[in-house]
Amino acid sequence: MTEVPEPPPMLLPPLELPRTQIIERTRHRYEDIHGLLEKRWTISAIARRLNLDRKTVRRFRDTALDELLASAHE
């Protein structure tokens, strides 16, 4: 019995996420939150300003944009 070698793995280009409403909203929310964080706003002040829960603001502060976009895409 002859063993057939496995083909080399294919290199795929990075996943390009479609520009859906949720992806765009996630991008804008991330930019807004990080812009206010740079101005030294508190979590509570950002949450009030953007009408978000404090937990959401913390998640956007602590999570990389790529991870947020991946979870928004699912």
Side-chain angles (χ1 to χ4, degrees):
M1 189 156 134
T2 308
E3 244 183 74
V4 178
E6 257 187 63
M10 286 180 53
L11 295 176
L12 300 174
L15 177 64
E16 182 65 33
L17 295 173
R19 288 196 155 326
T20 61
Q21 254 185 332
I22 193 164
I23 296 293
E24 290 303 308
R25 185 180 68 203
T26 300
R27 279 185 208 279
H28 289 296
R29 188 171 283 173
Y30 184 88
E31 290 167 5
D32 291 345
I33 289 170
H34 281 268
L36 294 172
L37 286 168
E38 286 176 15
K39 294 178 182 176
R40 315 286 284 162
W41 282 45
T42 65
I43 298 296
S44 294
I46 294 170
R48 281 192 302 273
R49 172 71 180 262
L50 301 178
N51 199 28
L52 298 170
D53 190 275
R54 289 190 317 269
K55 290 178 188 173
T56 303
V57 175
R58 279 192 211 98
R59 184 166 52 89
F60 273 75
R61 177 196 65 190
D62 298 340
T63 308
L65 179 58
D66 291 343
E67 288 180 48
L68 292 167
L69 292 174
S71 65
H73 180 65
E74 293 173 350

